[in-house]
Amino acid sequence: MTRRWHTGQLMGLPALAALAVAAVGCSPSDQAVDQSAGASETILIQLDGDDPSASRGELRRGRTPLQFKVGYGRNGIACQGTRFEEGWTPLGTFRVNAVLSADRFAMDSSLVEASGKSEAYLRDNLFRNMSAIDFKGDGETAEYGIGYISLTPVPPTPQPFRFNTYDGQFRWYSFAIHGTNDPSRVGQSVTGGCINVGQEAMADLLKTVQLGDEVVITSESPCVS
């Protein structure tokens, strides 16, 4: 991947033109703010490449927006419209296409069909199976914390994600906002590329976020393409 540093403000960027996300880990040019898109944004995430602890999310629903700390990919921030690889968090506009937790299941019908399983099976097993996998090999599981909110690029872009079986567990993963089993990781550049949040914020998101909600990820920091 050719890496070019882009400077300038990357706020309210238009939808992705082409985003290919490598199915591992979570396993554009600079443009002016699009003021017209702001009113429809449900979640706005602002990443800080210089100080990851200053990265924030905001749920824009109701009279009092919910603000929360976020973490992102250990390799840094990828420019909108570029190929996303392990450890890179892409900028752009996304849509919620699945919400998974121990007591909530919502998934686009096209994903249910692609899984080859029934919705009832996925509801009973998918998040539990995903949570049972020790991704870091440190003996710790539940690395998605209490919930997982999958994101797909807008406009729709082919993704390499597949439902499969790993270590005996039927699972799936995508680019997502998810919880963590280690609160100290929130506000750091440490994930496989996904956005991570603390348990309290994830609990609020799980109560509120719906399929089709929009998520816009921006940064004023340089990004890599």
Side-chain angles (χ1 to χ4, degrees):
M1 176 176 66
T2 302
R3 299 180 181 176
R4 298 192 305 276
W5 290 99
H6 293 256
T7 58
Q9 191 172 23
L10 295 168
M11 296 291 293
L13 294 169
L16 289 178
L19 175 70
V21 183
V24 287
C26 290
S27 316
S29 60
D30 299 346
Q31 302 191 35
V33 177
D34 180 0
Q35 299 288 357
S36 64
S40 64
E41 293 165 10
T42 298
I43 301 176
L44 176 64
I45 294 174
Q46 178 79 21
L47 304 181
D48 192 316
D50 297 320
D51 180 8
S53 67
S55 298
R56 291 290 185 273
E58 180 177 282
L59 176 62
R60 294 181 172 180
R61 178 168 287 165
R63 293 189 175 183
T64 304
L66 169 67
Q67 297 184 339
F68 50 92
K69 182 183 291 189
V70 304
Y72 59 89
R74 59 180 171 268
N75 291 337
I77 301 168
C79 297
Q80 177 175 340
T82 62
R83 184 165 60 94
F84 180 78
E85 295 181 343
E86 164 73 5
W88 295 94
T89 298
L91 303 176
T93 301
F94 303 85
R95 183 183 65 80
V96 174
N97 65 348
V99 182
L100 309 175
S101 73
D103 55 10
R104 185 174 176 200
F105 176 88
M107 179 174 280
D108 281 358
S109 58
S110 59
L111 287 175
V112 174
E113 182 178 358
S115 76
K117 304 287 188 179
S118 68
E119 182 173 326
Y121 175 89
L122 297 176
R123 182 183 301 275
D124 291 342
N125 295 282
L126 185 58
F127 184 70
R128 182 182 63 187
N129 288 358
M130 291 165 63
S131 295
I133 297 172
D134 175 12
F135 287 100
K136 298 195 297 290
D138 58 2
E140 297 290 334
T141 58
E143 294 184 25
Y144 294 132
I146 64 170
Y148 185 97
I149 299 171
S150 175
L151 307 177
T152 188
V154 177
T157 303
Q159 299 290 296
F161 303 119
R162 299 290 184 272
F163 292 88
N164 56 53
T165 299
Y166 175 82
D167 197 23
Q169 302 283 356
F170 181 80
R171 58 84 186 258
W172 171 74
Y173 54 85
S174 64
F175 179 54
I177 301 170
H178 61 68
T180 177
N181 60 2
D182 182 356
S184 70
R185 292 170 61 85
V186 180
Q188 295 191 48
S189 174
V190 295
T191 76
C194 291
I195 301 293
N196 70 3
V197 303
Q199 180 167 318
E200 183 176 350
M202 178 53 66
D204 287 331
L205 292 173
L206 288 171
K207 294 175 186 175
T208 307
V209 171
Q210 304 295 326
L211 293 181
D213 281 351
E214 187 174 79
V215 177
V216 178
I217 303 176
T218 65
S219 178
E220 296 180 352
S221 305
C223 59
V224 175
S225 61

